[in-house]
Amino acid sequence: MKITIFIKLILFFVASTILVSCVNDDDFNVPKNLGEQENKALQQLLDSLYTPNNGYNFVSIQNLKDRFDNNYSKPLKIQNNDVLKGYVTSSDAKGNFYKEIFIQDNSTAPKMGIKIALNALSTYNQFNIGREVYIHLKGLYVGETKYRDNTVAIGGKMNEKGGIETLSTKQIKDFVFRSQFNKTLEPLGVRFSEITKSHVGLYVKFENAEFTEDILGEEYVNPYDDYDSKRILQSCEGDKYVNFILETSTFASFRNEKLPQGGGSITGIINYDYEGENLVLVLNSTADVNFNTVRCKLSE
Amino acid sequence: MRIFFFILFVLNTISVLHSQTILKGSVVDALTNNPIQGVTVLVEGSKQTEKTDENGAFLFSENLPFGEQIIRVEKEGYQFKRYPIVIEENRIVDIERIPLDLLVDDLANLFTITLTDDELNDDDSGVDNISGLLSSSKDVFERTAAFEFSSSFFRVRGLDSDNGLVLINGIEMNKMHNGRPQWSNWGGLNDVLRNQELSRGLTPSLYHFGGVLGTTNINVRASSYKKEGRVTYSSSNRSYTNRLMVNYTSGLLDNGWSYAFMAGKRWGNEGYQDATLYDSNSFFASIEKKINNNHSLNFTSIYAPNRRGKSSPSTQEVFDLKGIKYNEYWGWQDGQKRNARIKEIREPIFMLNHYWSIGNKSSLNTNIGYQLGESGSSRLDYAGGKNPSPVYYKNLPSYYLYNNDYSQAYTAEQNFINNGQIDWDRIYDANITNNKLGKSAAYVLYEDRNDDKQLTVNSIFTTEINDNIIVNSSINYKKLESENYGKLKDLLGSTVGYLDVDTFTKYSENAPNNTVTPNRYAFEYERFKYNYNVYANVLNGYLQGVFKYRKVDFYIAVSGGTTNYQREGLYKNGRNQDNSFGKGDRLAFTNFGSKVGATYKISGKHLIDVNTGYMQRAPFIRNTYTNSRENHDYVGVIDGVKAPNIDEISEELVTSLDVSYIFRSPIVKSRLTGFYTTVKNSNETSFFFIQANNFLGFSQEVLVGANRLNVGAELGVEAQVLPTLKLKGAASIGQYTYSNNPYLYVTSSSDEAIEDNPDFGVAQIGGISYLKDYRVAAGPQKAYSIGFEYRDPSFWWFGATANFFDDIYLDISPITRTDNFYLDKDGIPYNDYKPEVARELLKQEKFDNYMVVNLVGGKSWRVNKKYIGFFASAGNLLNEKYKTGGFEQGRKADYRSLKDDASLSKRLFGPRYWYARGANYFLNIYYKF
């Protein structure tokens, strides 16, 4: 009967389709070689560093800043195989940093930090807070992203305005390497009155801080500001208040959150404001604001 | 030449007065002219059958039905034929020398395989075609439209396929969501879907009132197939690379049972466009039991799971850099091309049909159909990362050129040329990095799911009142339960999960997609983002009388019914907390239709055919709800409140008139039709990101009460100049325009939009959209085809056509045609506004005309009464590059920003286009037993 022929055909059909069926299915897993290239490149860099007398050297952030100062605070290109190592302190997860990350020299008790200007968005999911990074500086620039903004940074090229530009996508890939290490950053405990230029880029924590009374009830960003909003923090140091500025980008996702009324600790990154005039504190996220205890009292 | 005269002779049947009613004639082989013995001649609709004798002659002398009848002439190995004849009392009808063609293979079906299968009706394109609907037509124009024009997204009369109805065994297959038939539900089953009855345009169907484009009933009754088996293998570079199909049909067995089975597989890693994978299996089974002479019961199941990778429309800049095969939706992962946008449909159909012949004159056909399953389209979500699209405007050279940064523009260009695909590694790396800090997945792959359960019950009654009058009627009930939700498909390396909030929302209390579980992390295979049901009930009936007389045939039909929709929100959306959860308004619509038409036979050669109809139909679900993922709103209701200046949602009104002149001679068959169709009061909802003077954000644009006017003419001519050679030509010249200035409004739950526009929607950005006389983007409005088919007596054949297309227009963005376009924030025109510049900016883009040449040919062999055959077709042989469609990006919606963008040498937000395939092929081999 024909039916049996048909059944044979079906079997043949099933068998042949199993054999030839090679369409990509949906079953994708984490790519096998993920990060391999970066690890290899980093390993190569580290090998070069630990091979004596071949011109590869670790440099300190201080060293880079000194070079900039000695160059009459003009951008300069780094000619040697210098390598900088640091730990990421900033995060653009909430949109408060834009095309930049800050790194500091140590995960605990840091001495100095520096900005790295990157042509990249959502860097938080690549250069996460606490991540150990190595930057191969040869061919990169040290300078300010905006002329006289007072924040020394590493960039990818020089511009005519006396500043430096961000590292291009390819420069990031070729010169900035992440190691496998993620450290938990211990914020540097400081007081408002102690903050100096040397704290720029560091992850710092202030205790007994609060927002000034006149702005309580307002939001992190003043709706009339175009780019950045400044909110004044204060802290009781003895019998007087010491003020400090919290600067928040109008693009930060927490821009409309209300300023907390209480007092407590606040943790963030020290930077210069946009104009390069004042030192300010910049938040990674409002989770770092713990103003849930009473406001501080001045000593009598 | 002799053969030629015989054909001519045959078609004019001879009718002689006689004392007895007699039908007689003879059958010959079309090529050899020898009489054929054993041919079955059947008067359709009666039980009268005769076989030809050794001289090829047949004779009926008893119980002949009178009036217009169709005789069917068939013999295995030959292509069957049907002839309309008129049997009158006491007359002899003599049909001498009916030519039968040896079955090389049915040319028509071969063409069908190449196109309906191709799934040109890509829902992404917004352009739809009806090749599947028309492919069974015998009309040369419609066949040309189906097989030659469809790859250019030509639409018959400029109408969407929701105006054509597809039935399988009398059960309506058009989806309630968008009114269109979902061809892929039965794709890859060509061999068992060949019994199609098409009623063109408004002409009466035996099954349904139908749509203005026509009604096709696909008959899949097991007993309708003859005993046959077939294995087919195909290879192509169009959508799939390989296809294997097997079918066996038993015919009616002695014990009253019939079986039909088919299985098919179509697959390929890449179609014409990059990374457009194709993976489909098809199964079909139909079993029928003839209980007695009056009752038959048939059960059919169809299951065609289908998975395909989509391809993207692109801007001119992207095409210039990457070519027409470029697809932005994929990237490399572990050495494989992974496409982020996969469309997957698994919707099996089950049906039970009861056929009851009530006496000789009536029949009642009762059907129950049930379809359930899932349909999903995947895409990447990047709530915590940068836009992964390689063509995101900041990745392209145009963005840097705009900023006068030439070196970056060069870098971007090189980067796009060399990479220019999704970077899956970076996506995984981002999620794994986020795992380290316990952060929500930056990227996930998810599916927009639509899981339907639909029950259809209907009864179709047909009765012959007398020889001249047939009455058809049916009653139809449909019930749909549609679950719609976002489904997380792949966490892409994240172990933390996906925090189910809208990250663009400013106020954290509004952010959760479901405020009932505000801080929920979603994991793979879970529902998230949105979750709602739509319930629909449709009850319809129709009544139709078909009258056939010697000089004139006419019909009249009416239909009526109701449609109800209701949305039920299962999530309490953070941006729409009072307007999203639970059941929304129950919407009720009234359907009504009436049509009438007549064919006047001036003589056997010259006929005039006129049809006109009016239909009032419920808007489809898609055109009813304006933002169903987030809230209960429907057209005219904003944020749960009826908008005072917008008309309440109501039915769409379709009016159609066509007049045809038909000429039929033994050599030439032709039809010339003029048509006039209006579709009024239709709504359109679209979703996109708008950046206008006073508005920014992801928005829903709702066009209310748009009218369209489609007028034009169609011509089809075919001439059998030699028994072996047929010349054919077709043309469609139309003008499809908007015929009013509808109301348009934009809604958004984006905080940005709400804040800047407190009484947003109606007051700020609603208004008249000046669309009148703009062309509707409905494919080429002018199309011409000329070609031939040659069939050699020694079993090979080939054909070629040249097709020319013109008047193809870009889909315009209605929002730029509102007053909002030139008004500044303060409500007065921009100070630099120049009407003549605006006119230039808003001029509708017309694409270049083009010509496409298609070739097809084949051969078959008869081996031991079995057939082996192949055919091959080459599409777009000259490799012409042409745009089939496109749309303006609504993103730059005001005068200044559009002018800014349009003045660039490379636009940032220029229109996105679809290009047709270049030269492509299709190869088919089969074995039939």
Side-chain angles (χ1 to χ4, degrees):
Chain A
M1 239 195 106
K2 281 281 161 60
I3 296 278
T4 52
I5 298 171
F6 181 71
I7 289 166
K8 280 179 195 163
L9 273 169
I10 289 280
L11 286 174
F12 162 76
F13 172 75
V14 169
S16 57
T17 51
I18 290 167
L19 285 175
V20 293
S21 190
C22 52
V23 180
N24 290 348
D25 56 20
D26 261 352
D27 232 4
F28 283 96
N29 292 311
V30 176
K32 287 187 209 80
N33 306 327
L34 194 65
E36 200 174 76
Q37 223 179 343
E38 192 177 2
N39 293 341
K40 241 185 227 167
L42 177 60
Q43 197 50 51
Q44 220 164 21
L45 185 69
L46 292 175
D47 288 349
S48 302
L49 276 165
Y50 295 117
T51 309
N53 305 323
N54 70 343
Y56 279 79
N57 292 300
F58 274 119
V59 291
S60 68
I61 295 173
Q62 184 65 58
N63 176 297
L64 289 174
K65 288 192 174 175
D66 288 347
R67 286 197 224 173
F68 176 70
D69 289 343
N70 295 339
N71 196 38
Y72 312 101
S73 297
K74 278 192 225 148
L76 74 146
K77 187 174 185 175
I78 295 164
Q79 310 288 356
N80 307 327
N81 278 312
D82 292 339
V83 178
L84 184 66
K85 176 184 165 186
Y87 298 88
V88 179
T89 58
S90 66
S91 159
D92 65 354
K94 302 288 179 189
N96 207 19
F97 289 90
Y98 180 70
K99 293 193 173 180
E100 61 187 3
I101 58 172
F102 283 87
I103 61 169
Q104 62 186 26
D105 50 14
N106 224 325
S107 60
T108 52
K111 301 271 181 320
M112 193 156 275
I114 192 167
K115 171 166 126 179
I116 301 164
L118 305 165
N119 186 21
L121 301 172
S122 290
T123 51
Y124 84 97
N125 62 39
Q126 187 171 8
F127 304 102
N128 52 298
I129 297 177
R131 179 68 83 124
E132 186 175 281
V133 293
Y134 292 79
I135 304 162
H136 185 190
L137 293 166
K138 188 174 180 174
L140 302 183
Y141 291 79
V142 179
E144 297 155 335
T145 50
K146 191 166 79 93
Y147 182 65
R148 292 298 169 257
D149 69 359
N150 271 326
T151 304
V152 181
I154 293 166
K157 66 176 178 182
M158 220 171 347
N159 63 29
E160 317 88 80
K161 292 174 240 163
I164 54 166
E165 300 274 329
T166 57
L167 269 72
S168 70
T169 316
K170 189 152 169 41
Q171 281 176 320
I172 297 170
K173 205 172 151 211
D174 292 350
F175 297 106
V176 186
F177 308 105
R178 299 171 295 171
S179 86
Q180 297 299 316
F181 296 109
N182 292 278
K183 298 270 175 87
T184 308
L185 297 187
E186 208 167 282
L188 186 69
V190 279
R191 302 212 289 184
F192 288 151
S193 57
E194 297 167 356
I195 296 297
T196 68
K197 190 176 179 172
S198 67
H199 288 101
V200 168
L202 298 187
Y203 192 52
V204 300
K205 183 175 189 178
F206 300 101
E207 300 285 354
N208 296 320
E210 61 200 28
F211 289 102
T212 55
E213 261 165 53
D214 56 318
I215 51 170
L216 293 182
E218 293 191 28
E219 299 169 347
Y220 276 92
V221 165
N222 179 343
Y224 293 105
D225 286 334
D226 274 337
Y227 299 108
D228 298 289
S229 229
K230 291 191 169 85
R231 296 300 194 187
I232 307 299
L233 291 161
Q234 63 185 19
S235 144
C236 307
E237 292 190 22
D239 58 353
K240 58 178 190 287
Y241 286 114
V242 180
N243 289 340
F244 202 72
I245 302 166
L246 178 77
E247 191 179 69
T248 301
S249 161
T250 53
F251 292 96
S253 61
F254 55 84
R255 60 193 176 277
N256 295 106
E257 280 183 35
K258 289 257 190 302
L259 297 173
Q261 314 254 344
S265 72
I266 183 167
T267 311
I269 288 99
I270 299 295
N271 193 8
Y272 272 100
D273 60 7
Y274 183 74
E275 297 78 17
E277 286 166 5
N278 306 298
L279 285 163
V280 295
L281 180 69
V282 186
L283 292 172
N284 282 329
S285 138
T286 50
D288 288 342
V289 183
N290 291 303
F291 289 175
N292 41 22
T293 55
V294 291
R295 296 172 70 85
C296 72
K297 281 206 178 85
L298 294 175
S299 54
E300 301 289 314
Chain B
M1 260 338 245
R2 230 179 41 200
I3 302 165
F4 168 69
F5 278 111
F6 283 121
I7 297 168
L8 191 133
F9 185 55
V10 148
L11 291 165
N12 291 303
T13 58
I14 302 159
S15 165
V16 181
L17 192 63
H18 193 264
S19 58
Q20 196 188 358
T21 312
I22 283 175
L23 167 62
K24 63 175 189 168
S26 65
V27 182
V28 294
D29 187 296
L31 285 165
T32 62
N33 226 357
N34 295 329
I36 314 174
Q37 190 182 358
V39 178
T40 309
V41 182
L42 165 83
V43 181
E44 286 193 359
S46 78
K47 296 198 173 72
Q48 301 296 316
T49 336
E50 291 292 338
K51 288 219 169 179
T52 54
D53 60 16
E54 65 275 16
N55 297 319
F58 63 89
L59 174 80
F60 293 87
S61 53
E62 284 171 347
N63 298 328
L64 277 170
F66 299 139
E68 276 213 5
Q69 301 297 337
I70 288 176
I71 58 162
R72 184 182 170 103
V73 187
E74 62 185 340
K75 180 178 162 81
E76 200 169 343
Y78 288 87
Q79 204 178 329
F80 75 85
K81 284 208 168 154
R82 296 168 82 220
Y83 284 99
I85 53 165
V86 179
I87 301 173
E88 289 171 73
E89 200 165 1
N90 297 333
R91 275 177 180 267
I92 299 175
V93 181
D94 192 355
I95 319 169
E96 281 298 330
R97 308 193 80 84
I98 296 174
L100 268 198
D101 292 298
L102 207 53
L103 192 68
V104 176
D105 209 319
D106 189 347
L107 191 68
N109 288 338
L110 295 176
F111 279 104
T112 313
I113 295 166
T114 66
L115 282 160
T116 49
D117 234 32
D118 245 6
E119 306 271 354
L120 288 163
N121 54 325
D122 192 333
D123 54 2
D124 273 352
S125 64
V127 191
D128 199 39
N129 79 70
I130 55 158
S131 67
L133 186 74
L134 297 178
S135 56
S136 64
S137 176
K138 300 279 181 276
D139 180 84
V140 62
F141 174 81
E142 295 195 327
R143 296 191 62 76
T144 308
F147 303 126
E148 308 292 345
F149 293 167
S150 61
S151 57
S152 292
F153 296 94
F154 172 80
R155 294 199 215 168
V156 174
R157 300 186 186 181
L159 294 170
D160 191 283
S161 66
D162 61 45
N163 291 292
L165 204 67
V166 175
L167 311 164
I168 295 182
N169 276 3
I171 292 174
E172 204 178 318
M173 286 292 133
N174 293 51
K175 292 282 183 189
M176 284 159 85
H177 177 67
N178 59 14
R180 296 172 180 169
Q182 179 67 54
W183 298 105
S184 57
N185 278 166
W186 51 86
L189 296 169
N190 310 56
D191 293 325
V192 290
L193 300 175
R194 289 189 183 172
N195 296 327
Q196 299 191 5
E197 296 162 75
L198 171 74
S199 309
R200 183 166 52 81
L202 292 168
T203 56
S205 158
L206 302 175
Y207 306 92
H208 201 284
F209 183 81
V212 293
L213 265 185
T215 310
T216 290
N217 181 52
I218 305 174
N219 182 352
V220 296
R221 281 180 74 170
S223 65
S224 69
Y225 305 101
K226 61 182 176 190
K227 186 173 172 180
E228 187 181 270
R230 188 197 284 254
V231 184
T232 307
Y233 171 77
S234 315
S235 166
S236 173
N237 68 345
R238 291 175 184 166
S239 48
Y240 47 79
T241 22
N242 301 285
R243 180 178 69 173
L244 191 60
M245 303 192 297
V246 201
N247 75 298
Y248 180 77
T249 50
S250 71
L252 181 59
L253 302 174
D254 292 340
N255 56 9
W257 288 90
S258 323
Y259 310 93
F261 299 105
M262 179 155 188
K265 185 173 179 68
R266 294 169 292 166
W267 74 99
N269 277 329
E270 191 162 81
Y272 189 81
Q273 270 88 13
D274 296 338
T276 49
L277 65 90
Y278 200 105
D279 183 15
S280 163
N281 295 302
S282 315
F283 307 98
F284 170 90
S286 184
I287 301 166
E288 182 169 346
K289 169 70 179 166
K290 190 175 178 187
I291 297 163
N292 56 37
N293 277 340
N294 294 329
H295 291 275
S296 272
L297 209 53
N298 188 88
F299 176 76
T300 302
S301 58
I302 299 170
Y303 181 43
N306 183 307
R307 197 164 64 91
R308 318 173 45 210
K310 292 190 189 179
S311 63
S312 56
S314 297
T315 59
Q316 196 57 52
E317 179 184 17
V318 170
F319 281 120
D320 291 344
L321 293 172
K322 287 290 224 178
I324 62 171
K325 291 188 173 185
Y326 175 71
N327 183 5
E328 70 181 72
Y329 297 149
W330 69 275
W332 291 105
Q333 182 174 339
D334 275 345
Q336 285 190 328
K337 287 179 175 178
R338 182 179 191 183
N339 190 326
R341 301 226 181 169
I342 303 284
K343 171 135 198 180
E344 192 161 6
I345 299 179
R346 289 184 297 270
E347 297 182 310
I349 302 165
F350 304 96
M351 49 180 74
L352 188 64
N353 316 95
H354 174 237
Y355 300 90
W356 181 11
S357 304
I358 308 166
N360 276 337
K361 304 279 185 188
S362 304
S363 70
L364 180 66
N365 167 209
T366 303
N367 309 300
I368 299 174
Y370 188 67
Q371 185 174 17
L372 77 168
E374 39 201 59
S375 137
S377 290
S378 70
R379 57 164 67 220
L380 274 169
D381 176 276
Y382 50 98
K386 66 168 192 173
N387 190 330
S389 168
V391 300
Y392 182 60
Y393 72 101
K394 288 183 179 172
N395 292 337
L396 294 177
S398 55
Y399 175 69
Y400 297 96
L401 290 176
Y402 176 69
N403 293 313
N404 293 319
D405 188 342
Y406 297 99
S407 81
Q408 279 289 343
Y410 178 78
T411 311
E413 180 172 304
Q414 289 307 307
N415 186 46
F416 184 65
I417 291 171
N418 297 326
N419 303 311
Q421 300 299 341
I422 291 175
D423 188 351
W424 288 105
D425 282 4
R426 178 74 267 281
I427 286 171
Y428 275 92
D429 179 65
N431 282 351
I432 289 167
T433 304
N434 280 2
N435 287 344
K436 297 185 202 301
L437 298 178
K439 280 184 183 291
S440 166
Y443 300 87
V444 294
L445 188 69
Y446 77 100
E447 225 177 11
D448 286 312
R449 275 287 286 271
N450 171 220
D451 294 0
D452 285 359
K453 292 190 192 82
Q454 186 175 319
L455 173 75
T456 308
V457 183
N458 70 15
S459 265
I460 303 165
F461 180 71
T462 302
T463 184
E464 282 177 46
I465 306 278
N466 57 35
D467 290 341
N468 302 108
I469 303 171
I470 297 173
V471 173
N472 309 105
S473 62
S474 81
I475 184 148
N476 235 301
Y477 173 70
K478 288 193 290 187
K479 181 183 169 68
L480 171 75
E481 279 176 45
S482 174
E483 293 178 47
N484 301 269
Y485 55 91
K487 182 184 173 187
L488 209 164
K489 272 191 90 169
D490 192 336
L491 277 169
L492 304 172
S494 171
T495 50
V496 178
Y498 177 92
L499 182 61
D500 192 18
V501 298
D502 178 38
T503 48
F504 296 105
T505 305
K506 277 190 203 171
Y507 301 98
S508 51
E509 64 271 25
N510 292 342
N513 290 325
N514 184 8
T515 53
V516 178
T517 53
N519 292 311
R520 173 179 164 242
Y521 280 83
F523 291 89
E524 281 171 14
Y525 312 120
E526 288 181 359
R527 295 186 184 201
F528 74 142
K529 284 182 176 282
Y530 64 94
N531 191 6
Y532 68 95
N533 296 333
V534 173
Y535 302 100
N537 289 288
V538 178
L539 182 66
N540 270 335
Y542 95 113
L543 181 66
Q544 172 176 281
V546 180
F547 306 85
K548 294 195 172 180
Y549 296 96
R550 195 182 158 80
K551 267 304 205 190
V552 64
D553 296 344
F554 64 96
Y555 66 87
I556 180 160
V558 289
S559 76
T562 60
T563 300
N564 294 312
Y565 300 138
Q566 191 169 35
R567 178 188 182 276
E568 181 186 30
L570 302 174
Y571 281 1
K572 194 169 187 176
N573 182 282
R575 278 80 64 207
N576 299 271
Q577 298 193 23
D578 304 324
N579 187 32
S580 53
F581 192 70
K583 294 206 170 176
D585 291 346
R586 190 180 159 87
L587 307 178
F589 302 97
T590 308
N591 305 314
F592 170 76
S594 66
K595 61 181 182 178
V596 54
T599 308
Y600 180 71
K601 291 164 256 190
I602 303 168
S603 72
K605 283 186 180 175
H606 305 275
L607 296 91
I608 302 284
D609 184 60
V610 183
N611 301 285
T612 181
Y614 169 79
M615 263 169 250
Q616 169 182 318
R617 60 177 190 181
F620 302 114
I621 295 170
R622 181 183 68 156
N623 305 330
T624 301
Y625 292 99
T626 52
N627 187 14
S628 52
R629 289 182 183 173
E630 297 207 334
N631 60 39
H632 288 319
D633 286 354
Y634 48 92
V635 174
V637 172
I638 299 168
D639 205 12
V641 180
K642 163 91 187 68
N645 53 345
I646 304 173
D647 290 338
E648 206 160 325
I649 187 165
S650 56
E651 296 81 2
E652 203 171 70
L653 309 171
V654 185
T655 319
S656 185
L657 169 70
D658 63 56
V659 180
S660 304
Y661 165 68
I662 298 159
F663 176 77
R664 293 193 299 217
S665 82
I667 310 166
V668 177
K669 281 180 205 151
S670 69
R671 173 170 70 84
L672 174 67
T673 300
F675 60 87
Y676 180 96
T677 305
T678 59
V679 180
K680 290 188 174 169
N681 197 33
S682 41
N683 307 318
E684 286 170 26
T685 304
S686 44
F687 303 87
F688 55 90
F689 191 87
I690 298 182
Q691 185 182 355
N693 52 9
N694 47 9
F695 193 75
L696 179 88
F698 193 76
S699 320
Q700 301 83 45
E701 178 193 280
V702 186
L703 199 59
V704 188
N707 295 353
R708 274 168 299 210
L709 169 62
N710 295 9
V711 288
E714 318 171 323
L715 173 69
V717 183
E718 62 181 348
Q720 190 79 46
V721 290
L722 292 171
T724 51
L725 182 67
K726 186 195 270 180
L727 302 182
K728 51 189 187 174
S732 172
I733 299 167
Q735 181 176 303
Y736 316 133
T737 55
Y738 287 99
S739 58
N740 73 336
N741 292 322
Y743 192 79
L744 176 139
Y745 69 95
V746 177
T747 62
S748 178
S749 48
S750 147
D751 285 334
E752 211 83 49
I754 291 165
E755 197 148 290
D756 292 350
N757 304 280
D759 51 356
F760 169 69
V762 187
Q764 284 284 348
I765 211 164
I768 302 293
S769 182
Y770 300 96
L771 296 184
K772 189 167 191 294
D773 297 333
Y774 271 109
R775 298 282 188 134
V776 176
Q781 306 203 354
K782 288 186 183 138
Y784 312 89
S785 175
I786 185 153
F788 70 91
E789 292 168 17
Y790 175 81
R791 280 180 173 222
D792 195 84
S794 50
F795 304 111
W796 59 271
W797 51 273
F798 73 92
T801 56
N803 306 283
F804 184 78
F805 301 92
D806 200 1
D807 278 13
I808 312 123
Y809 291 90
L810 185 69
D811 200 2
I812 54 166
S813 160
I815 191 169
T816 53
R817 274 78 185 175
T818 60
D819 290 335
N820 186 71
F821 178 71
Y822 64 92
L823 297 180
D824 208 343
K825 287 184 185 190
D826 47 15
I828 50 173
Y830 287 112
N831 50 19
D832 56 352
Y833 179 72
K834 292 199 181 73
E836 62 277 13
V837 177
R839 202 167 300 126
E840 198 52 40
L841 289 173
L842 299 181
K843 195 173 164 190
Q844 189 169 19
E845 183 183 340
K846 182 178 165 187
F847 299 154
D848 293 338
N849 54 35
Y850 59 90
M851 188 172 82
V852 177
V853 174
N854 299 326
L855 278 188
V856 62
K859 180 157 173 60
S860 72
W861 295 268
R862 196 172 170 187
V863 185
N864 297 333
K865 292 189 173 180
K866 317 275 193 260
Y867 291 91
I868 297 172
F870 83 92
F871 86 88
S873 76
N876 192 8
L877 199 68
L878 304 179
N879 202 19
E880 175 103 349
K881 283 186 181 169
Y882 58 94
K883 291 169 186 160
T884 55
F887 55 91
E888 292 177 351
Q889 297 201 59
R891 187 175 171 126
K892 297 286 180 185
D894 66 68
Y895 175 74
R896 268 189 195 157
S897 51
L898 185 66
K899 190 176 103 189
D900 229 29
D901 195 50
S903 65
L904 300 173
S905 60
K906 285 184 201 291
R907 294 182 62 177
L908 269 64
F909 300 101
R912 286 185 155 221
Y913 304 107
W914 275 280
Y915 271 87
R917 295 180 182 130
N920 55 74
Y921 79 94
F922 187 91
L923 197 73
N924 195 62
I925 52 172
Y926 64 87
Y927 172 66
K928 202 171 78 174
F929 54 90

